[in-house]
Amino acid sequence: MTTTPPAPPKNRTMMRPATITKSRTKTPTWVPPVLVALGIIAIWYFVSYVVLDASRRFLLPPPHEVFTQAFFDPTVFGDIMVALGRTAIVALVGLAIAIVLGVGWAVAMSQARWIERSTFPYAVILQCIPILALVPLIGFWFGFDYPARIIVCVMIALFPMVSNTLFGLQSVDKGQRELFQLQKAGRWTVLSKLEFPAALPAIFAGMRISAGLAVVGAIVGDYFFRRGEPGLGSLISNYQSRVQSAELFAAIITASLFGVLIFVVFGWLGKRVVGKWYDFSAS
């Protein structure tokens, strides 16, 4: 009886399908926003020239008229830049006060439960009250100049700092907290060495939110408190009353870009401070 010899084992490397490596080019992060901006500009032109009649085109002037009649006009551009500087001062001062008050308030609530139960509902109420309802009272009590505008900024930008900081302080890992308790660390040591460093990502996230709200507060306060040196809010009100559409859009775009700039600056600052040990881009 003849037996056929077993077939030699096939080379497993020959059995595997050839892996084709495809080089994937990563799209730069600036490409999607630029594409969206181009789409917005295209829709803007479409509405200006197709949807609106020529007699009603002043409601939405095309983008090139905004630049030629506003940004490229030395007089208008100079007025916008001067107003932007005044609004920036109010927004930055109000933001700084909101950061100090918000972090201090949150630290006090994290250290004593009765302070949190007694005062945190009022932070929520302050956030829920429409700021336009309080603007007349602020004007009666504090006048209509820079102090009143700064108070409006603080009131708008305060709650994100309080809530984010308190969340960060109370979100410390339980195991790490127990380790500090085993070492019999004092309250100040736990706060400075454990809770506050762990809360830094949440604090910087609150700063980014409050930064944009501070710009809104500065413009809202300036829009209603028209005494003293005018800022972007007063300029927007003047352009609105005079039906200067191109100048009005230019002032609004400038205010928006300034808010985005402050948001980006605090995002960059957060990455510089906590980016080595925390993925700040995910927050």
Side-chain angles (χ1 to χ4, degrees):
M1 182 176 180
T2 58
T3 58
T4 56
K10 296 181 179 180
N11 190 359
R12 293 185 177 181
T13 58
M14 299 296 294
M15 298 288 291
R16 294 177 182 175
T19 58
I20 302 175
T21 58
K22 296 181 179 180
S23 60
R24 296 180 179 179
T25 58
K26 187 177 180 180
T27 304
T29 56
W30 57 269
V31 172
V34 170
L35 294 178
V36 173
L38 293 176
I40 293 174
I41 293 175
I43 295 174
W44 190 344
Y45 271 112
F46 177 80
V47 175
S48 297
Y49 285 104
V50 178
V51 178
L52 296 177
D53 296 331
S55 60
R56 296 172 57 86
R57 194 165 296 161
F58 70 93
L59 297 175
L60 186 65
H64 67 272
E65 290 187 5
V66 174
F67 281 88
T68 56
Q69 298 181 15
F71 289 117
F72 293 161
D73 188 337
T75 302
V76 177
F77 183 74
D79 293 340
I80 292 177
M81 289 297 102
V82 172
L84 175 62
R86 295 166 181 166
T87 301
I89 293 175
V90 176
L92 294 177
V93 172
L95 177 61
I97 296 175
I99 291 174
V100 173
L101 291 180
V103 173
W105 189 355
V107 169
M109 288 190 292
S110 68
Q111 298 302 304
R113 181 69 65 177
W114 67 270
I115 297 179
E116 179 183 358
R117 293 176 179 175
S118 302
T119 61
F120 189 74
Y122 294 98
V124 178
I125 293 174
L126 183 64
Q127 176 69 13
C128 296
I129 295 177
I131 192 63
L132 296 182
L134 297 178
V135 165
L137 292 176
I138 296 173
F140 291 154
W141 294 339
F142 302 98
F144 299 90
D145 210 341
Y146 277 109
R149 302 175 192 177
I150 292 174
I151 291 173
V152 172
C153 284
V154 174
M155 294 180 64
I156 292 180
L158 181 61
F159 183 77
M161 288 305 308
V162 175
S163 59
N164 282 46
T165 305
L166 182 62
F167 172 78
L169 293 172
Q170 294 179 345
S171 299
V172 178
D173 184 70
K174 184 178 179 180
Q176 295 180 355
R177 193 181 295 274
E178 291 176 351
L179 180 61
F180 272 70
Q181 292 176 355
L182 290 176
Q183 298 296 327
K184 297 181 179 179
R187 179 174 294 183
W188 171 253
T189 303
V190 174
L191 176 63
S192 60
K193 301 295 184 180
L194 176 63
E195 294 178 345
F196 199 80
L200 281 177
I203 292 175
F204 277 101
M207 287 181 183
R208 290 194 297 176
I209 300 173
S210 296
L213 293 178
V215 177
V216 175
I219 294 175
V220 169
D222 187 64
Y223 188 89
F224 287 94
F225 305 141
R226 300 181 184 179
R227 298 182 185 177
E229 297 178 342
L232 281 177
S234 298
L235 209 60
I236 290 173
S237 177
N238 293 336
Y239 291 150
Q240 177 187 2
S241 61
R242 300 169 187 170
V243 199
Q244 294 176 291
S245 301
E247 292 82 355
L248 176 62
F249 274 92
I252 294 173
I253 292 173
T254 302
S256 303
L257 293 178
F258 177 62
V260 172
L261 176 62
I262 293 184
F263 183 88
V264 171
V265 167
F266 276 93
W268 173 85
L269 184 61
K271 290 181 180 179
R272 297 287 296 179
V273 174
V274 300
K276 296 181 180 179
W277 52 273
Y278 179 79
D279 187 10
F280 198 78
S281 61
S283 61

